[in-house]
Amino acid sequence: MEHIDLYNTIFKRKSIRKYDFSVIDENTLSEISDQIGKLEPLYPEIKTEIKIVSKQDVKGIIQVDAPYYIAAFSEVKEGYLTNMGFMLQQIDLYFSANGIGSCWQGWPKPTKELRTDTSLEFIIVQAFGLPKEDLYRESINKFKRKALNQITDLESFDELIEPARLAPSPSQPWYFTGDTNIIHICYKNTNSLLSIMAQGLNKIEERLKKIEIGIAACHLWLGALHFDRKIEFIQKNNENIKIPLNFSYVISAKIQ
Ligand SMILES: Cc1cc2nc3c(=O)[nH]c(=O)nc-3n(C[C@H](O)[C@H](O)[C@H](O)COP(=O)(O)O)c2cc1C
């Protein structure tokens, strides 16, 4: 799959919540498996396992009933959630570019058998299957997203932050700041009163936000490749970075 196809898909993709339950043919499933093997990580040293599983293999609060799911597992290391967001967003775009619908699922889990079948930690599930609704949005105006000036104070990177702005997300928690050759990405902290009241919920939200930053970083990366800009993701010491109050720093992208 060419990066250019993934880039073009950013501007029309949408989450698919209605599926046709007929089977996807073996060839297509094996192409999806090949594609999973080629996903590019943010941190190559982090071990990951990404499996295609069926409806029976997924339990919990299933908000989207689909014939297939992707279940993602990872070694627990610095940046592992963001790494998985970055990787799985490539498969979300691949699905959309190839006539298959998908939707990230923050709440369900694979069955205990699947979770204990690996030494890696379960991270997240993505539903997929043949779509039973329009696969694409007609135009960018149909995306419900914050405006660019609500998510960045940078003026020189509009063409890279625009694809990140359109990234799928339940909460659009991101903010992009930095300088003429670097973009720092951070996310909005959960309201402190809320976090005292609902600690368990807050923990899940925190995990999802780190995954969402990886998803936005994937769109930023595809934008950079499209515009022939050199991009390198780095981790800065966050004490030296100026980010807005009540935001947490995650990662920076050096751009040339
Ligand atoms: C990490 C993550 C978790 C999500 N979890 C759910 C979910 O549990 N149920 C659901 O219906 N959609 C879920 N979504 C999809 C978002 O609601 C969706 O991306 C957002 O509303 C924007 O719509 P779009 O993807 O159609 O552009 C999730 C998306 C992300 C990125």
Side-chain angles (χ1 to χ4, degrees), residues 13 15 17 63 104-107 137 145 168-170 215:
R13 68 151 294 287
S15 296
R17 297 190 173 83
Q63 293 180 330
W104 285 87
Q105 291 288 276
W107 303 95
R137 292 195 162 94
R145 296 295 191 275
S169 161
I215 297 174

Side-chain angles (χ1 to χ4, degrees), residues 56-220:
Q56 289 73 30
D57 298 317
V58 178
K59 301 277 174 255
I61 310 169
I62 302 177
Q63 293 180 330
V64 173
D65 192 19
Y68 304 93
Y69 294 82
I70 294 276
F73 303 82
S74 174
E75 192 179 7
V76 177
K77 269 191 178 167
E78 180 74 32
Y80 73 109
L81 296 167
T82 306
N83 185 53
M84 190 53 82
F86 187 87
M87 291 178 79
L88 278 200
Q89 185 52 19
Q90 295 163 53
I91 202 77
D92 172 273
L93 291 170
Y94 167 83
F95 281 140
S96 187
N98 287 280
I100 298 170
S102 69
C103 185
W104 285 87
Q105 291 288 276
W107 303 95
K109 285 184 174 174
T111 55
K112 201 169 168 199
E113 293 80 68
L114 266 179
R115 277 184 283 138
T116 48
D117 194 36
T118 167
S119 59
L120 305 180
E121 182 177 289
F122 164 66
I123 308 296
I124 198 158
V125 156
Q126 208 179 76
F128 75 96
L130 299 174
K132 213 175 169 182
E133 60 174 292
D134 289 343
L135 187 59
Y136 299 130
R137 292 195 162 94
E138 293 152 24
S139 72
I140 289 199
N141 303 337
K142 303 278 180 190
F143 280 83
K144 290 193 183 117
R145 296 295 191 275
K146 291 179 183 166
L148 261 187
N149 63 10
Q150 292 177 284
I151 60 166
T152 186
D153 56 358
L154 294 170
E155 284 173 5
S156 49
F157 289 120
D158 278 8
E159 77 280 18
L160 307 190
I161 297 174
E162 174 63 1
R165 183 181 79 87
L166 299 176
S169 161
S171 65
Q172 303 174 56
W174 38 65
Y175 197 80
F176 303 85
T177 188
D179 215 324
T180 49
N181 61 354
I182 196 157
I183 303 174
H184 306 306
I185 317 178
C186 49
Y187 67 80
K188 193 160 178 32
N189 296 332
T190 307
N191 172 316
S192 59
L193 185 64
L194 251 184
S195 65
I196 296 164
M197 282 160 50
Q199 278 204 349
L201 205 65
N202 188 35
K203 218 172 147 194
I204 298 174
E205 259 194 25
E206 200 79 8
R207 276 174 71 87
L208 290 181
K209 283 196 263 188
K210 288 178 182 165
I211 294 172
E212 288 169 67
I213 293 297
I215 297 174
C218 170
H219 282 203
L220 192 81

